[in-house]
């Protein structure tokens, strides 16, 4: 077959699209780094396939996970996916810091390769680390906290996961075939327009964002309906755990903020694929239309991520202070205020792009106002800890680190809310420092705190405390060394996105930053070590009763790990901290008067099939393989139609089985000695914590 026929059949996909072709033609450090990244991806995939085959895990993986509609398993898969993507995001950050530390001069990377790195790093960390982390925790925790058996639409939940994972895999594929966008995580035209960048990079970004955005929007709808319609009897809105309040507001943000991003990406695709002119500099196009659409999503996105993180911190501070959450009503009002105000501040992202002074002033004031409800939350959390019986467990250490570091990031945000100051530092590393100062302590630390807090509930054994403390130390120190110097070098005038520089006064700061980046890499490795040691020593850290921390909300009132149906009998809620109230009144672990059959959704492969097919569909669109894109579109449509005609969609768990399992667990509770706070991390803690009532008020 001739090269012309081949390119017609496979669109733009040719031998030259592979990074190894560039290495063979022009071997150099830049090409070696690029191929090493692709090699790690291919090698890692091969190792995973070998392990699954050698240990004969394909059957359990398919039956118990890939086809599951259980919200708990879907949440865990989201979090595992986020951790995998976090590894790539951190590694790219280290390479970028190393490139900048190699100056003054051009370093070891080409400018285009560096531009790909900061584009993929930002895209991955926002869309494929932070979002899956948050959605994963919501999936696992929220139905348990409201006393539900599952989310409102379990199959749609599975499909949401499939679409998110397939979109993330597109970013991985770009390491091996073609190149990624050089337009940053925001993908501003004209840098991503066909005239400026005719390659496949922006197309990888477009389709990954569109497909993952659909998945996330479906999740937002699912979570909102679940809380509105599936709360346990007696759980009014003012009895919701604080985490669930943040989920409501975050879900509303998802539903209203994700569509503008999808529209912006599809209009950009129309410019690139169909020669439209929405965002070009000629024929009526206007790039500022893209900026407005993107940031109409982009700033609510920040709070979409950080509000559930606030909810996690609220649970952690209350539990490990042995107190009710202080100022519950004020926290609810603050959460709702942040959600509303987040839609009024998007324009501060382009104060430097030519708006009038009045418009800049209005959005500057709105940006400052949003700091007020955030400050309310910080004071409420500190008041929760005040005179509490504080336990400095790993989740609490992450929370304390968050309070200190996040306040610094918030104050730098208030500084940037002033348009005149923003005009001076907007395109410097000061802004990069602020952005990471908010998202790392605000979101990533919360996710790591949540992993340590709810891991025993998910898997039935606690994570290793010693390595957890080492991880906290490395994350905090690594953050300080990496990003605090950027505030100073930004004020000195170093532009962001710079792959090289000449001013020698920048050098000490860049050296410090790369040391910090290596410490962050060590922190990530310490998380993996903690997981390995915890699995190895799981027998001595088992918590089958399910309440190792003296928890306050309903998820701690059931076994660990929870059964598929969550609750043998749906709980009757009479107080805001339902489980803490039951323990205090002596009504926890009571035997029900009777049991009923429980219906659960049957496993289905539709989410996995749509994951694979949507991945192929995106790849075909990126490389202009039109026949394949059409074929896969038809296949996906047929799968949905065939599945919709299915009638056997549920399984029934008989009441006798539920009674046997639940009463066996109640017998275990009765035989298990209660432990107090001093033995919380000892093998004696089997998940039956003695209530710490001294600080309960």
């Amino acid at each position: 077959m001739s090269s012309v026929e081949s390119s017609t059949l496979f669109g733009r996909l040719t031998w030259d699209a592979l990074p190894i072709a560039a290495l063979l033609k022009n071997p150099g450090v830049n090409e070696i780094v690029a191929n090493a990244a692709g090699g790690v991806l291919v090698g890692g995939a091969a190792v995973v396939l070998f392990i699954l085959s050698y240990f004969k895990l394909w059957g359990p993986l398919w039956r118990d996970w890939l086809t599951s509609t259980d919200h708990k398993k879907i949440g865990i898969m989201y979090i595992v996916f986020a951790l995998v993507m976090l590894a790539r995001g951190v590694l790219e950050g280290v390479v970028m810091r190393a490139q900048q530390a190699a100056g003054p001069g051009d370093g070891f990377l080409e400018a285009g390769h560096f531009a790909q790195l900061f584009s993929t790093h930002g895209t991955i960390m926002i869309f494929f680390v932070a979002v899956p982390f948050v959605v994963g925790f919501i999936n696992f925790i929220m139905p348990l906290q409201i006393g539900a058996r599952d989310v409102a639409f379990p199959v749609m939940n599975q499909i949401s996961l499939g679409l998110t994972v397939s979109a993330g895999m597109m970013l991985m594929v770009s390491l091996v075939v073609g190149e990624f966008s050089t337009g940053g995580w925001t993908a501003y035209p004209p840098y991503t327009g066909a005239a400026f960048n005719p390659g496949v990079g922006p197309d990888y970004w477009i389709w990954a964002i569109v497909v993952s955005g659909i998945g996330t929007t479906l999740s937002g709808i699912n979570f909102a309906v679940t809380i509105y319609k599936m709360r346990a009897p007696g759980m009014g809105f003012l009895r919701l755990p604080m985490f669930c309040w943040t989920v409501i507001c975050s879900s509303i943000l998802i539903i209203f903020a994700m569509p503008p991003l999808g529209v912006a990406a599809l209009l950009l695709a129309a410019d690139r694929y169909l020669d439209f002119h929405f965002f070009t500099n000629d024929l009526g196009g206007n790039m500022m239309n893209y900026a407005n659409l993107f940031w109409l999503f982009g700033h609510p996105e920040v709070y979409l991520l950080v509000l559930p993180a606030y909810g996690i911190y609220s649970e952690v501070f209350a539990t490990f202070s042995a107190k009710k959450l202080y100022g519950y009503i004020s926290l609810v009002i603050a959460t709702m205020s942040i959600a509303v105000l987040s839609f009024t501040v998007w324009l501060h992202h382009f104060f430097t792009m030519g708006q009038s002074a009045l418009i800049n002033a209005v959005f500057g004031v709105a940006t400052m106002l949003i700091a007020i409800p955030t400050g309310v939350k910080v004071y409420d959390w500190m008041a929760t800890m005040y005179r509490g019986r504080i336990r400095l467990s790993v989740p609490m250490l992450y929370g304390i680190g968050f309070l200190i570091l996040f306040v610094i990031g918030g104050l730098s945000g208030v500084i940037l809310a002033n348009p005149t100051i923003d005009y001076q530092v907007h395109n410097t590393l000061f802004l990069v420092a602020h952005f990471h100062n908010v998202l790392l302590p605000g979101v990533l630390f919360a996710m790591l705190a949540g992993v340590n807090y709810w891991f025993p509930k998910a898997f039935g054994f606690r994570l290793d405390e010693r390595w957890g403390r080492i991880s906290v130390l490395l994350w905090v120190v690594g953050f300080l060394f990496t990003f605090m110097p950027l505030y100073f070098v930004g004020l000195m005038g170093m532009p962001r996105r710079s792959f090289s520089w000449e001013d020698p006064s920048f050098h000490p700061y860049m050296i410090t930053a790369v040391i910090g980046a290596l410490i962050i890499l060590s922190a990530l490795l310490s998380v993996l070590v903690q997981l390995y040691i915890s699995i190895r020593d799981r027998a001595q850290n088992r918590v089958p009763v399910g309440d190792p921390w003296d928890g306050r909300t309903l998820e701690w009132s059931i076994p660990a790990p929870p059964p598929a149906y969550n609750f043998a009998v749906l709980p009757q809620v009479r107080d805001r901290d339902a489980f803490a109230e039951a323990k205090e009144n002596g009504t926890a672990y009571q035997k029900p008067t009777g049991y009923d059959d429980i219906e659960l959704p049957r496993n289905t492969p539709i989410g996995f099939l749509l994951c694979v097919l949507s991945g192929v569909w995106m790849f075909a669109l990126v490389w202009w393989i039109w026949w394949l894109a059409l074929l896969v579109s038809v296949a996906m449509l047929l799968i949905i139609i065939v599945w919709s005609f299915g009638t056997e969609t549920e399984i029934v768990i008989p009441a006798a089985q539920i009674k046997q399992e639940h009463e066996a667990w109640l017998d275990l509770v009765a035989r298990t000695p209660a432990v107090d706070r001093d033995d919380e991390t000892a093998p004696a803690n089997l998940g039956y914590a003695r209530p710490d009532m001294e600080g309960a008020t």
Side-chain angles (χ1 to χ4, degrees):
M1 183 182 293
S2 69
S3 60
V4 174
E5 292 172 333
S6 177
S7 62
T8 301
L9 185 60
F10 295 106
R12 297 184 283 184
L13 185 56
T14 63
W15 163 254
D16 291 335
L18 303 178
I20 194 172
L23 178 65
L24 295 175
K25 290 180 179 178
N26 183 29
V29 175
N30 184 79
E31 286 71 26
I32 291 173
V33 171
N35 280 272
V40 168
L41 173 64
V42 174
V47 168
V48 170
L49 293 175
F50 172 78
I51 292 173
L52 291 173
S53 301
Y54 183 80
F55 291 101
K56 300 179 180 179
L57 297 176
W58 287 106
L61 179 66
W62 177 257
R63 290 191 306 271
D64 300 335
W65 293 90
L66 297 181
T67 60
S68 175
T69 55
D70 187 337
H71 70 97
K72 300 179 291 296
K73 291 182 177 180
I74 289 174
I76 291 169
M77 286 189 282
Y78 264 115
I79 293 171
V80 170
F81 172 69
L83 286 171
V84 171
M85 301 302 285
L86 176 64
R88 179 180 171 184
V90 168
L91 288 169
E92 288 178 334
V94 172
V95 174
M96 284 191 290
R97 292 288 159 247
Q99 163 67 20
Q100 291 183 324
D106 290 340
F108 56 91
L109 294 179
E110 295 177 356
H113 190 180
F114 184 82
Q116 288 183 59
L117 280 175
F118 72 69
S119 300
T120 52
H121 174 76
T123 303
I124 285 172
M125 296 301 279
I126 295 294
F127 296 104
F128 300 105
V129 174
V131 170
F133 247 140
V134 166
V135 173
F137 272 107
I138 295 173
N139 253 304
F140 186 88
I141 300 161
M142 179 267 290
L144 296 176
Q145 286 197 338
I146 66 172
R149 302 214 186 278
D150 209 317
V151 294
F153 308 112
V155 175
M156 189 167 82
N157 197 26
Q158 186 196 71
I159 293 172
S160 298
L161 171 65
L163 295 179
T164 301
V165 171
S166 68
M169 289 302 99
M170 278 297 96
L171 274 76
M172 293 300 195
V173 169
S174 70
L175 278 175
V176 182
V177 184
E179 297 178 340
F180 195 68
S181 173
T182 57
W185 78 277
T186 56
Y188 276 168
Y191 306 113
T192 52
F196 186 89
N197 193 337
V200 297
D203 301 324
Y204 270 120
W205 184 92
I206 288 169
W207 298 115
I209 294 305
V210 168
V211 172
S212 67
I214 294 171
T216 305
T217 304
L218 294 177
S219 293
I221 296 169
N222 213 343
F223 298 150
V225 174
T226 301
I227 294 180
Y228 290 151
K229 298 292 186 180
M230 300 183 67
R231 302 187 306 279
M235 182 172 279
F237 276 99
L238 292 182
R239 288 180 179 173
L240 280 177
M242 196 61 230
F243 178 77
C244 294
W245 265 110
T246 64
V247 172
I248 291 176
C249 294
S250 182
S251 299
I252 293 170
L253 293 180
I254 289 172
I255 294 167
F256 287 99
M258 293 303 296
L261 175 66
V263 169
L266 289 173
L267 293 179
L268 181 60
D271 279 6
R272 291 181 56 82
Y273 283 77
L274 303 174
D275 199 27
F276 281 31
H277 294 273
F278 291 110
F279 308 129
T280 60
N281 291 326
D282 60 349
L283 298 177
N286 187 344
M287 175 266 170
M288 288 305 300
N289 290 334
Y290 180 91
N292 276 281
L293 282 170
F294 183 90
W295 288 114
L296 186 57
F297 144 83
H299 205 85
E301 162 82 358
V302 174
Y303 294 101
L304 178 165
L305 300 173
V306 85
L307 284 178
Y310 289 166
I312 290 175
Y313 287 127
S314 296
E315 303 295 331
V316 166
F317 288 134
T319 297
F320 292 101
S321 298
K323 285 179 63 179
K324 285 188 176 181
L325 192 62
Y326 181 87
Y328 176 88
I329 298 297
S330 64
L331 283 168
V332 169
I333 295 172
T335 301
M336 297 177 70
S337 299
I338 289 171
V340 173
L341 288 172
S342 69
F343 284 101
T344 70
V345 297
W346 82 88
L347 195 134
H348 72 220
H349 288 276
F350 40 98
F351 275 154
T352 62
M353 295 186 185
Q355 283 67 235
S356 70
L358 176 61
I359 290 177
N360 282 353
V362 169
F363 279 85
V365 170
T367 304
M368 294 178 189
L369 285 176
I370 207 169
I372 296 174
T374 305
V376 168
K377 285 179 170 288
V378 171
Y379 281 110
D380 279 342
W381 290 324
M382 291 192 295
T384 300
M385 291 188 287
Y386 178 65
R387 301 186 68 178
R389 288 171 54 78
I390 294 175
R391 291 166 283 165
L392 293 178
S393 298
V394 172
M396 192 66 162
L397 292 175
Y398 275 116
I400 293 171
F402 152 78
L403 282 178
I404 297 169
L405 297 176
F406 186 79
V407 167
I408 297 172
L411 290 174
S412 66
V414 174
I415 292 172
L416 289 168
N418 186 322
T420 56
I421 297 176
D422 183 85
Y423 194 87
Q424 299 298 317
V425 298
H426 182 79
N427 282 313
T428 71
L429 286 176
F430 185 94
L431 189 67
V432 175
H434 158 72
F435 187 67
H436 288 82
N437 201 169
V438 171
L439 285 184
L440 262 75
V443 178
L444 183 58
F445 284 14
M447 300 304 115
L448 295 170
V451 167
N452 282 271
Y453 184 53
W454 280 291
F455 188 94
K457 175 55 60 179
F459 295 101
F461 61 93
R462 290 174 283 107
L463 287 173
D464 184 78
E465 188 79 7
R466 176 173 172 269
W467 272 98
R469 292 173 182 272
I470 292 172
S471 294
V472 175
L473 178 64
L474 290 173
W475 281 110
V476 171
V477 172
F479 168 82
L480 289 171
F481 272 77
T482 303
F483 297 107
M484 289 302 161
L486 302 189
Y487 279 119
F488 297 99
V489 79
L491 291 173
M492 293 164 63
M494 182 173 178
R496 55 178 172 159
R497 307 188 182 109
S498 296
F499 92 105
S500 66
W501 44 272
E502 300 297 336
D503 189 337
S505 63
F506 298 158
H507 207 190
Y509 298 95
M510 293 295 99
I511 293 295
T512 305
V514 76
I515 292 172
L518 292 172
I519 296 173
I520 287 179
L521 180 59
S522 301
L524 179 62
L525 293 174
S526 73
V527 171
L528 300 179
V529 173
Q530 181 195 23
L531 182 60
Y532 167 75
I533 291 176
S534 302
I535 294 173
R536 185 193 67 187
D537 300 337
R538 62 188 179 277
Q540 64 192 43
N541 293 318
R542 291 177 60 249
V543 288
V545 174
D547 181 27
W549 314 125
D550 185 22
R552 309 185 63 80
T553 45
L554 288 175
E555 75 268 29
W556 303 110
S557 67
I558 57 177
Y565 46 81
N566 294 345
F567 300 92
V569 175
L570 292 181
Q572 178 71 45
V573 176
R574 297 180 177 85
D575 195 80
R576 187 172 296 151
D577 289 340
F579 187 46
E581 180 260 351
K583 288 188 288 186
E584 185 174 358
N585 295 335
T587 58
Y589 307 116
Q590 295 294 305
K591 184 178 293 186
T593 56
Y595 299 87
D596 295 317
D597 294 348
I598 295 175
E599 291 186 352
L600 292 177
R602 188 181 296 274
N603 284 8
T604 174
I606 186 171
F608 178 79
L609 293 175
L610 291 179
C611 172
V612 173
L613 290 175
S614 63
V616 176
W617 181 78
M618 286 184 282
F619 186 82
L621 289 177
V622 167
W623 291 97
W624 297 357
I625 310 175
W626 307 120
W627 62 269
L628 181 58
L630 179 60
L631 183 64
V632 173
S633 299
V634 172
M636 287 192 289
L637 182 61
L638 288 176
I639 285 174
I640 294 171
I641 292 172
V642 170
W643 173 83
S644 67
F645 279 95
T647 55
E648 297 182 1
T649 58
E650 294 181 336
I651 59 172
V652 177
I653 302 178
Q657 178 184 339
I658 297 166
K659 178 180 179 180
Q660 180 183 6
E661 293 175 355
H662 188 63
E663 293 186 357
W665 173 68
L666 290 177
D667 290 340
L668 174 65
V669 174
R671 298 193 311 268
T672 302
V675 298
D676 60 22
R677 56 194 288 123
D678 297 326
D679 293 323
E680 188 173 76
T681 60
N685 184 1
L686 295 176
Y688 189 18
R690 180 177 290 115
D692 191 348
M693 295 304 173
E694 184 173 328
T697 57

